[in-house]
Amino acid sequence: MSYRYLVEQVCGYFGLVFWSLQLAPQAFKTYQRGTSTGVSVWTMLIWTFAGVFMGVYNIGLGIAIGLWVQPQIFTFISCICVFQEFHYQHRWSKLKTLCGFVVSCLFVGGVETGFIFAFKKAQQMNDQGGIRFFGIIPVIFVVGGFLPQYYEIFRERRVIVFGEQVDSLDLANYIAIACLDVGILALYYIFEWYQKKISVRSESEESQIDQVSTRSSALTEKVSSSDNHKHGAAFQEEMKTL
């Protein structure tokens, strides 16, 4: 159990560092270029809510603290990217952008809090469908969030991320994050398989112990019954003698 806890914590903090910060280079690059051209605002908006549902699911399950914090940072940076679009492309003032950003953060925080209570209620009622709903939705949102970005890429006929010249450090950053994301995903399925294998083995051992215990109890009852029968027969013989 302690080994599983350690693995969960390690993977959680790796996810906190790499997965939650994967949009940070994009937000910085947009700020540096002074334009969000080529970045789909719909992708960032969908990912904002993906982070909300992921936060609900992770907090509801009570898993590693790192996995509680991870969706919050991801949602926060997604919100930054959304309002960069309003600031640079729709010419919102800095004050208006900041106010909109703060209100949006409070809104998604309230939505997440409400959904956490809903998740806990589903757990109390043992509503497996409701619990799975909160686990499936973020996956759909994360994957679906790529679609508007792909549309933006095909519309522009190019990937406008790095500007006219590709900076090697930026490229290395994106590639590293992508590889580490894949690594975390692979570790998730590997350790899920490992934990299921341990669980099956544990259940098998418990079943064997129960069978042995049942046989032992049956044997004890049989011996006890046999002894009682013998004592009863002896008592009857003594009564006949008398």
Side-chain angles (χ1 to χ4, degrees):
M1 195 69 179
S2 59
Y3 175 73
R4 180 176 183 176
Y5 174 80
L6 177 62
V7 170
E8 183 181 280
Q9 294 294 322
V10 170
C11 289
Y13 285 106
F14 266 103
L16 173 61
V17 174
F18 296 112
W19 188 84
S20 59
L21 296 175
Q22 62 183 300
L23 291 179
Q26 180 60 66
F28 176 73
K29 196 69 179 180
T30 298
Y31 168 77
Q32 194 176 49
R33 292 189 299 128
T35 178
S36 60
T37 302
V39 179
S40 172
V41 67
W42 289 107
T43 291
M44 299 305 165
L45 187 60
I46 293 171
W47 282 355
T48 297
F49 286 97
V52 169
F53 280 97
M54 182 63 74
V56 171
Y57 192 67
N58 289 355
I59 294 172
L61 290 180
I63 54 181
I65 297 296
L67 295 176
W68 291 24
V69 179
Q70 169 190 318
Q72 317 310 321
I73 298 177
F74 182 78
T75 301
F76 181 78
I77 299 176
S78 296
C79 269
I80 290 177
C81 292
V82 168
F83 281 91
Q84 282 180 326
E85 169 77 13
F86 289 114
H87 178 62
Y88 293 120
Q89 303 305 111
H90 298 278
R91 303 301 178 185
W92 280 22
S93 66
K94 290 183 179 180
L95 180 60
K96 185 178 179 180
T97 303
L98 179 61
C99 290
F101 173 73
V102 171
V103 170
S104 295
C105 287
L106 293 174
F107 173 74
V108 296
V111 169
E112 183 173 340
T113 302
F115 278 140
I116 288 172
F117 284 109
F119 186 92
K120 292 295 185 182
K121 187 67 175 178
Q123 283 183 319
Q124 291 173 4
M125 298 175 64
N126 196 27
D127 182 2
Q128 296 301 317
I131 293 172
R132 283 195 297 270
F133 169 80
F134 286 105
I136 293 171
I137 287 297
V139 176
I140 294 174
F141 277 16
V142 168
V143 174
F146 280 102
L147 299 180
Q149 186 61 61
Y150 274 98
Y151 170 77
E152 190 74 21
I153 290 170
F154 281 108
R155 187 173 68 87
E156 295 289 340
R157 299 290 191 274
R158 57 178 178 160
V159 180
I160 308 174
V161 177
F162 303 105
E164 297 299 324
Q165 294 182 345
V166 177
D167 183 84
S168 58
L169 293 177
D170 278 338
L171 183 60
N173 197 349
Y174 277 91
I175 292 174
I177 290 172
C179 291
L180 289 165
D181 279 344
V182 172
I184 291 171
L185 185 64
L187 285 173
Y188 169 79
Y189 285 107
I190 289 171
F191 284 113
E192 277 292 299
W193 169 81
Y194 176 76
Q195 293 300 332
K196 285 179 181 178
K197 185 177 179 181
I198 291 178
S199 178
V200 169
R201 184 185 302 169
S202 177
E203 289 176 1
S204 177
E205 290 175 353
E206 288 178 2
S207 177
Q208 291 176 1
I209 292 172
D210 289 340
Q211 289 177 4
V212 171
S213 178
T214 301
R215 290 174 184 172
S216 177
S217 298
L219 182 61
T220 302
E221 290 177 2
K222 185 176 180 180
V223 171
S224 177
S225 176
S226 177
D227 288 343
N228 290 337
H229 178 72
K230 289 179 180 178
H231 287 308
F235 179 73
Q236 288 179 0
E237 290 295 328
E238 289 179 4
M239 292 296 293
K240 287 179 181 180
T241 303
L242 292 175

